[in-house]
Amino acid sequence: MAALPVPCLALVTDRSLAHPVSLTERIALAVAGGVDLVQLREKDLPGGKLLELAREVEESIAGRALLIINERVDVAAAMGADGVQLGEEALPTAEARRILGPEALIGRSVHSLEGARQAAVEGADFLVVGTMFASRSHPGEEPSGPELLGRIKAECSLPLLGIGGITAANVGPVMEAGATGVAVISAILAAPDVELAARELKETMLAAELSGGVARRKELASSD
């Protein structure tokens, strides 16, 4: 099974943000800038079109990042993707595992501590926790903030990716709350310079992780 890099910068796709440059071109630039995982999330596409796009994305990634498919276990199986991202009401983790095999990465989206507990019990490999901040993709949804991620981290050993309105300006508190990484859409895809946006976000994540590691070591040392 492929492991999530630490820290993990995940790009969730939205081809409506890719004009005039194609989605695959923007993904290639984002990966060059430091994206570690691409989640293909184009809910309006039928299976055949999604499979075709997935193969194009796979070619543009060229093995430099993981590729997972949102919800569509059948498409992930057909193309041999690295895994799937499942919502709270999607196919059960065990069924996805049965179809995709033991090596597939299976992530679940959660919005509560109870949801995280359930996903962990059911065998998810990682959790996407939201919504961190107000976002375009979830209008009107009350953000839970990094506090929720921190509460989940205290009880759950799975890798956690924060999602929702995350930018280079606010990613620090998410990482400091215990995130393994973050998942973003607009912060990269809507940027004038996709590669630069990805690089700046990744560098900020690395700095926050380093800062958090130093703080934790000091805390442990002071408790001795």
Short mmCIF file of all heavy atoms in Angstrom, two decimals, residues 20 29 37 47 70 81 90 112 145 151 190 214:
data_model
loop_
_atom_site.label_atom_id
_atom_site.label_comp_id
_atom_site.label_asym_id
_atom_site.label_seq_id
_atom_site.Cartn_x
_atom_site.Cartn_y
_atom_site.Cartn_z
N PRO A 20 -8.42 29.17 -18.91
CA PRO A 20 -8.38 28.56 -20.24
C PRO A 20 -7.38 27.42 -20.37
O PRO A 20 -7.34 26.75 -21.39
CB PRO A 20 -7.95 29.74 -21.12
CG PRO A 20 -7.07 30.54 -20.23
CD PRO A 20 -7.64 30.41 -18.84
N LEU A 29 1.38 21.11 -13.43
CA LEU A 29 2.07 22.24 -12.82
C LEU A 29 2.00 22.16 -11.29
O LEU A 29 2.98 22.45 -10.60
CB LEU A 29 1.46 23.55 -13.31
CG LEU A 29 1.73 23.92 -14.76
CD1 LEU A 29 0.84 25.09 -15.19
CD2 LEU A 29 3.20 24.27 -14.97
N LEU A 37 -0.66 14.33 -3.80
CA LEU A 37 -1.82 13.47 -4.06
C LEU A 37 -2.86 14.27 -4.82
O LEU A 37 -3.13 15.43 -4.48
CB LEU A 37 -2.40 12.96 -2.74
CG LEU A 37 -3.61 12.03 -2.78
CD1 LEU A 37 -3.60 11.08 -1.59
CD2 LEU A 37 -4.93 12.81 -2.79
N GLY A 47 -19.44 7.66 -15.88
CA GLY A 47 -18.31 6.78 -15.66
C GLY A 47 -17.30 6.73 -16.79
O GLY A 47 -16.08 6.79 -16.54
N ASN A 70 -12.61 10.18 -6.49
CA ASN A 70 -13.66 10.50 -5.54
C ASN A 70 -14.89 9.61 -5.77
O ASN A 70 -15.46 9.59 -6.86
CB ASN A 70 -14.08 11.96 -5.69
CG ASN A 70 -15.06 12.40 -4.62
OD1 ASN A 70 -14.69 12.57 -3.47
ND2 ASN A 70 -16.32 12.55 -5.00
N ALA A 81 -6.20 2.94 -10.06
CA ALA A 81 -5.81 4.12 -9.30
C ALA A 81 -5.23 3.70 -7.95
O ALA A 81 -5.40 2.56 -7.50
CB ALA A 81 -7.00 5.04 -9.09
N ALA A 90 -21.06 7.18 1.52
CA ALA A 90 -20.65 6.42 0.34
C ALA A 90 -20.58 4.93 0.66
O ALA A 90 -20.92 4.48 1.75
CB ALA A 90 -19.31 6.93 -0.17
N SER A 112 -17.07 15.13 12.05
CA SER A 112 -17.31 15.06 13.49
C SER A 112 -16.38 14.04 14.11
O SER A 112 -15.82 13.18 13.42
CB SER A 112 -18.76 14.66 13.79
OG SER A 112 -18.99 13.33 13.36
N GLY A 145 -13.28 24.52 12.01
CA GLY A 145 -11.98 25.03 12.42
C GLY A 145 -11.00 23.93 12.78
O GLY A 145 -11.37 22.75 12.89
N ARG A 151 -9.20 17.58 18.10
CA ARG A 151 -9.93 16.61 18.93
C ARG A 151 -9.85 15.21 18.32
O ARG A 151 -9.70 14.22 19.04
CB ARG A 151 -11.39 17.05 19.08
CG ARG A 151 -11.57 18.30 19.90
CD ARG A 151 -13.00 18.44 20.40
NE ARG A 151 -13.96 18.50 19.32
CZ ARG A 151 -14.33 19.61 18.70
NH1 ARG A 151 -13.78 20.76 19.03
NH2 ARG A 151 -15.23 19.58 17.73
N ALA A 190 -7.25 27.88 -8.73
CA ALA A 190 -7.71 29.22 -9.12
C ALA A 190 -6.58 30.25 -9.10
O ALA A 190 -6.81 31.42 -9.40
CB ALA A 190 -8.84 29.67 -8.20
N VAL A 214 9.49 21.04 16.81
CA VAL A 214 10.37 21.66 17.79
C VAL A 214 9.61 21.93 19.09
O VAL A 214 10.10 21.66 20.19
CB VAL A 214 10.96 22.97 17.23
CG1 VAL A 214 11.67 23.75 18.33
CG2 VAL A 214 11.91 22.68 16.08
#
